[in-house]
Amino acid sequence: MLKGVPSLAGRNLRLLTTQGQVLVHHQHRAKASAAEPAELLDQETDLSKRAKFGHTGKQLQQKICKEKKLRAPPLLNLVFANRKLSFYDTSSTPKTKEDNAKLSQRRHYSMRPHREQEQRNAEDVLFDMFASEETGLISMGKFLAGLKTTGIRRNDPRVRELMDNLKKVHKLNNYETGSSAETQHLNRETFKAVVAPNIVLIAKAFRQQFVIPDFTSFVKDIEDIYNRCKTNTLGKLADYIPQLSRYNPDSWGLSICTIDGQRFSIGDVEVPFTLQSCSKPLTYAIALEKLGPKVVHSYVGQEPSGRNFNELVLDQNKKPHNPMINAGAILTCSLMNALVKPDMTSAEIFDYTMSWFKRLSGGEYIGFNNAVFLSEREAADRNYALGFYMRENKCFPKRTNLKEVMDFYFQCCSMETNCEAMSVIAASLANGGICPTTEEKVFRPEVIRDVLSIMHSCGTYDYSGQFAFKVGLPAKSGVSGGMMLVIPNVMGIFAWSPPLDHLGNTVRGLQFCEELVSMFNFHRYDNLKHLSNKKDPRKHRYETKGLSIVNLLFSAASGDVTALRRHRLSGMDITLADYDGRTALHLAASEGHLECVKFLLEQCHVPHNPKDRWGNLPVDEAENFGHSHVVEFLRSWAEKVDQPNEECQPEAVTTKTQADEEICSTSDLETSPATSPIPTPAESGSRAGSGRSSPVPSDAGSTASAGSASSIDDKTKPGL
Ligand code: GLU
């Protein structure tokens, strides 16, 4: 009996038997074989016929569902609708000129052959990556686990169609026993149809084209930092309202969402807590979006106050200092009431604001904690005092109802959320106002720039100056223990742990931010171009290495000692070899660049005898190309090095530390005549005089092979 996963490609219908056999039914076959469920075959033929008559996939789907009284659309539609195939018969020749014109127009809009081809290839490559050779089937469990390592979760809205399709196929397959929709096994064509609607994102993920290409390694480092922070038991719970004092001081959650929607969470990431001051940048963003910075900043300043967050103080213009402290946030709330939505009731403004927060979070958890709201309102003498003080100083717009404004402020502080949702909000801020998971544009990029600027200078209470100095990133903390950290154009991070330091910042959250920036070059003023002792998770390991080796080898081949010196000063591993095992020394020798050869051996201490893939040493190269002066030098060097107890520099195989490099390079500059940045006439001659083809691959393909660079002591070859 057939267990039956029908999989449809073009005009053929394939059926998967329990033994994993694939039975193929060709459309032109008059009758289905006994082993093939006739209904499906009829359905397919029927659909193919209809497809010729211009139905769109969706219309067709609806029509068949209605006619056949099906609750779910048939699988065939999955293939047709998802792959957006053109519904006309490409095999029939158009008869009239008109037909021809129509056809080419339709091709123009719907086929895009190159893209289609590319996508088809991506689907096949993915299948081949995960399919079992034995059964010829792909385990969706393995595939989805692979997708997860790239940071894409199964519940990501951008792979919803894939997950829905899996359910449909599972159902059509009579709920294949022993598997769920997510662990079932599919044949090639079914797999391709299932992934097709989301193939662009999926291909990007597996090609490591996200902002953090090696997400697994990054996550490993984050876990290490998280665990170190976990052991920190300093800090005290906020106790000005009972709800905050009841938190578990051991709670510690951390969530990350990149601008490509790569997700990682660890710890108490679903425990709800109230937004408190983390709501301040968000209401400020709404006011900016609706009123523009001119209007907003005619009411509130942009300066750090240098005072406590709830201090009864205004700036010299009688305005609250900035929107991140209580006075400024109360003022922002008044702008929402009086200027953004003057016609809305308090209830409507609450809903309106919450809907912005929800959109920023990609629809993840945003709720409301009424007990916190009531307590906030009860314990609000200072906040009321701020409100009256500002009213006395005419800070508010006309028509402001202070009581409503104060309630609205407490409501914003009492909105409830968790680390998961807040990491998406932080990522939307990192992504210029576009939510990475839903791809909805929530705010304009100019708004986000302004919000991040203020967060950068005023986001962490009285620690803001030090935070800007040490961490160098926009952040906002709150008394419930939250810390929202934004790495612009990279990712959003939310850390939550209730114990606070004496300034009101979460102790573990703060430690996390500081450790993060000492490990990765995320500080606003970290240099991204030159090598440093910090990691850059944005770069692709092999891409970086490949580019470096191309530069290094070309410098050696062209006899450019100055460039070689620069590479060395930047801390680069001068022993790197390309895919063929060719080193800078091979190229300098084969091109007859004696100065380069000397520099590489005397100053960089590279090994004199690396073999390329053909077994050639640099001295062989020099000999083959008739550079006797280089041969002579290399031979005498080899003699010196190979003689024990001889006074000569040992050859370095591993990369030196940066400090070593700096010390050595300074002395080189002072003492070595071989290191002059100006080429000697001999050097210039040899640069110009070499009429032979360069031993460095001269076309773009060299980049590809150099992309597979290895160093003498690191023979790791890249993967896919
Ligand atoms: N609800 C608190 C207040 O207004 C918020 C404080 C905070 O998180 O900074 O005092």
Side-chain angles (χ1 to χ4, degrees):
M1 199 190 98
L2 280 179
K3 224 168 162 188
V5 173
S7 163
L8 306 159
R11 302 292 195 75
N12 300 334
L13 177 69
R14 291 173 182 217
L15 295 171
L16 178 68
T17 67
T18 29
Q19 288 79 36
Q21 280 172 287
V22 177
L23 302 177
V24 180
H25 167 80
H26 294 279
Q27 195 204 1
H28 60 254
R29 242 197 269 165
K31 258 187 166 180
S33 79
E36 294 161 335
E39 203 202 327
L40 276 166
L41 297 178
D42 288 342
Q43 206 176 74
E44 196 261 351
T45 317
D46 188 28
L47 279 161
S48 299
K49 264 193 222 151
R50 286 160 192 250
K52 282 187 194 171
F53 299 110
H55 293 290
T56 66
K58 200 155 186 191
Q59 284 168 343
L60 190 60
Q61 215 165 10
Q62 284 163 354
K63 205 163 176 192
I64 294 165
C65 277
K66 214 167 149 192
E67 275 175 23
K68 301 212 169 193
K69 298 205 171 70
L70 296 173
R71 266 186 298 145
L75 178 64
L76 185 63
N77 274 350
L78 186 71
V79 178
F80 274 77
N82 289 347
R83 307 200 96 210
K84 294 192 176 63
L85 294 182
S86 307
F87 291 104
Y88 59 91
D89 186 354
T90 45
S91 61
S92 64
T93 342
K95 292 174 183 70
T96 62
K97 261 190 186 174
E98 215 181 22
D99 281 347
N100 254 333
K102 266 189 202 158
L103 186 56
S104 69
Q105 205 182 10
R106 288 167 83 169
R107 278 206 176 115
H108 178 74
Y109 289 114
S110 62
M111 290 302 280
R112 300 194 184 165
H114 181 69
R115 198 181 167 84
E116 289 269 313
Q117 183 60 39
E118 213 177 61
Q119 291 192 2
R120 252 196 294 281
N121 290 345
E123 292 150 21
D124 280 317
V125 170
L126 283 174
F127 183 83
D128 294 335
M129 267 169 80
F130 289 95
S132 146
E133 272 179 23
E134 259 172 48
T135 60
L137 303 176
I138 187 169
S139 150
M140 288 312 289
K142 274 193 193 153
F143 174 77
L144 292 173
L147 192 60
K148 193 172 169 226
T149 64
T150 70
I152 301 299
R153 289 183 179 167
R154 294 172 193 206
N155 61 357
D156 189 308
R158 296 167 302 166
V159 292
R160 188 173 294 142
E161 290 85 350
L162 158 69
M163 301 311 293
D164 287 349
N165 288 347
L166 280 178
K167 283 185 204 136
K168 287 180 204 167
V169 172
H170 194 235
K171 193 174 173 194
L172 277 156
N173 195 20
N174 293 327
Y175 303 103
E176 183 193 350
T177 42
S179 76
S180 68
E182 295 176 12
T183 57
Q184 61 190 318
H185 295 78
L186 303 181
N187 66 18
R188 183 182 294 269
E189 296 309 329
T190 311
F191 170 77
K192 285 165 72 173
V194 162
V195 298
N198 306 124
I199 190 63
V200 174
L201 179 85
I202 295 170
K204 205 173 163 193
F206 284 110
R207 283 181 186 142
Q208 299 203 316
Q209 287 170 340
F210 287 149
V211 64
I212 306 294
D214 186 357
F215 199 62
T216 314
S217 305
F218 177 69
V219 156
K220 176 86 206 36
D221 288 331
I222 296 293
E223 273 173 345
D224 291 345
I225 305 180
Y226 170 90
N227 287 325
R228 280 200 293 280
C229 299
K230 195 173 181 166
T231 58
N232 187 341
T233 50
L234 299 175
K236 273 176 48 188
L237 299 174
D239 57 5
Y240 72 98
I241 56 170
Q243 287 75 15
L244 295 182
S245 68
R246 283 190 220 124
Y247 278 136
N248 176 358
D250 295 332
S251 293
W252 172 218
L254 183 91
S255 290
I256 290 180
C257 177
T258 73
I259 56 163
D260 286 315
Q262 296 165 279
R263 309 284 298 267
F264 171 70
S265 281
I266 184 167
D268 303 307
V269 292
E270 283 179 1
V271 179
F273 52 84
T274 46
L275 272 173
Q276 297 293 352
S277 274
C278 292
S279 64
K280 289 171 181 161
L282 311 182
T283 40
Y284 171 55
I286 304 173
L288 280 178
E289 177 76 27
K290 290 288 156 193
L291 305 172
K294 255 197 174 158
V295 175
V296 172
H297 287 291
S298 62
Y299 290 95
V300 57
Q302 289 132 317
E303 289 295 334
S305 69
R307 311 285 281 269
N308 215 345
F309 72 102
N310 60 1
E311 198 145 322
L312 213 55
V313 64
L314 296 173
D315 69 11
Q316 55 193 3
N317 303 312
K318 296 280 177 237
K319 292 194 281 194
H321 283 85
N322 67 68
M324 299 299 126
I325 53 170
N326 284 16
I330 294 170
L331 196 286
T332 311
C333 288
S334 78
L335 299 182
M336 296 279 290
N337 276 37
L339 302 183
V340 175
K341 290 291 169 193
D343 301 328
M344 279 189 176
T345 63
S346 302
E348 284 167 341
I349 291 192
F350 174 81
D351 277 346
Y352 174 77
T353 307
M354 199 175 195
S355 76
W356 280 92
F357 292 7
K358 262 200 187 297
R359 286 165 64 208
L360 269 185
S361 74
E364 296 196 18
Y365 178 61
I366 304 286
F368 181 70
N369 188 322
N370 196 40
V372 170
F373 165 69
L374 295 172
S375 294
E376 285 287 343
R377 200 163 58 172
E378 275 300 298
D381 291 350
R382 175 57 68 107
N383 284 327
Y384 280 120
L386 282 171
F388 286 120
Y389 183 51
M390 285 195 285
R391 189 162 78 179
E392 183 194 15
N393 282 283
K394 312 221 170 339
C395 295
F396 293 119
K398 284 186 197 126
R399 297 187 299 276
T400 293
N401 177 331
L402 186 56
K403 188 182 167 303
E404 280 178 15
V405 167
M406 295 308 295
D407 274 358
F408 179 49
Y409 170 75
F410 302 133
Q411 284 160 4
C412 290
C413 291
S414 310
M415 291 214 198
E416 198 171 65
T417 184
N418 59 30
C419 279
E420 293 274 19
M422 287 307 288
S423 69
V424 181
I425 291 189
S428 299
L429 300 187
N431 198 29
I434 298 174
C435 175
T437 57
T438 58
E439 292 168 339
E440 181 189 354
K441 183 175 176 177
V442 185
F443 290 116
R444 285 176 290 121
E446 307 86 87
V447 166
I448 299 301
R449 188 197 53 214
D450 293 349
V451 172
L452 296 182
S453 303
I454 301 277
M455 282 169 66
H456 186 90
S457 56
C458 315
T460 47
Y461 304 111
D462 265 8
Y463 193 70
S464 298
Q466 286 185 72
F467 193 89
F469 182 81
K470 289 189 186 169
V471 180
L473 290 170
K476 185 71 198 91
S477 53
V479 283
S480 54
M483 170 74 81
M484 174 163 66
L485 183 72
V486 178
I487 306 169
N489 304 304
V490 182
M491 68 179 72
I493 299 180
F494 200 87
W496 176 68
S497 178
L500 308 176
D501 64 14
H502 69 288
L503 293 173
N505 291 306
T506 161
V507 172
R508 292 193 183 100
L510 202 55
Q511 183 186 344
F512 177 83
C513 295
E514 294 183 358
E515 287 209 21
L516 178 84
V517 170
S518 56
M519 180 176 286
F520 298 104
N521 59 358
F522 287 152
H523 189 294
R524 185 77 188 82
Y525 302 113
D526 271 331
N527 189 287
L528 301 182
K529 193 173 162 204
H530 302 293
L531 290 181
S532 78
N533 51 2
K534 289 191 185 183
K535 296 185 182 182
D536 186 352
R538 285 161 281 210
K539 281 191 184 160
H540 197 292
R541 245 183 320 154
Y542 299 115
E543 192 180 296
T544 325
K545 221 170 173 183
L547 279 179
S548 310
I549 188 121
V550 169
N551 287 335
L552 175 69
L553 297 195
F554 271 98
S555 308
S558 59
D560 192 340
V561 183
T562 317
L564 287 180
R565 189 194 317 285
R566 264 204 318 272
H567 294 313
R568 181 165 172 253
L569 279 170
S570 73
M572 185 175 178
D573 180 0
I574 306 294
T575 66
L576 283 170
D578 74 4
Y579 186 81
D580 293 326
R582 312 269 295 158
T583 63
L585 192 61
H586 279 102
L587 297 170
S590 62
E591 287 288 350
H593 298 308
L594 182 59
E595 297 311 314
C596 284
V597 170
K598 281 184 176 172
F599 177 77
L600 290 168
L601 292 170
E602 292 171 349
Q603 312 298 334
C604 305
H605 315 299
V606 301
H608 67 92
N609 53 1
K611 281 187 182 166
D612 66 16
R613 69 187 286 193
W614 301 279
N616 288 330
L617 301 173
V619 68
D620 303 329
E621 292 290 279
E623 203 157 19
N624 288 344
F625 290 101
H627 303 298
S628 51
H629 56 309
V630 176
V631 175
E632 218 171 276
F633 180 83
L634 281 169
R635 289 219 171 110
S636 69
W637 182 269
E639 268 170 33
K640 259 205 298 181
V641 169
D642 296 341
Q643 265 175 27
N645 306 326
E646 193 73 22
E647 226 186 82
C648 68
Q649 295 264 17
E651 289 179 343
V653 176
T654 50
T655 322
K656 295 172 141 208
T657 65
Q658 217 181 359
D660 289 343
E661 290 289 342
E662 274 158 22
I663 294 161
C664 292
S665 53
T666 321
S667 58
D668 297 345
L669 290 169
E670 283 162 4
T671 56
S672 169
T675 54
S676 164
I678 303 157
T680 61
E683 248 181 4
S684 320
S686 72
R687 274 180 212 178
S690 168
R692 286 170 290 107
S693 63
S694 167
V696 179
S698 58
D699 59 6
S702 65
T703 318
S705 83
S708 309
S710 63
S711 70
I712 301 289
D713 56 340
D714 169 17
K715 287 285 174 207
T716 329
K717 290 282 189 285
L720 274 166

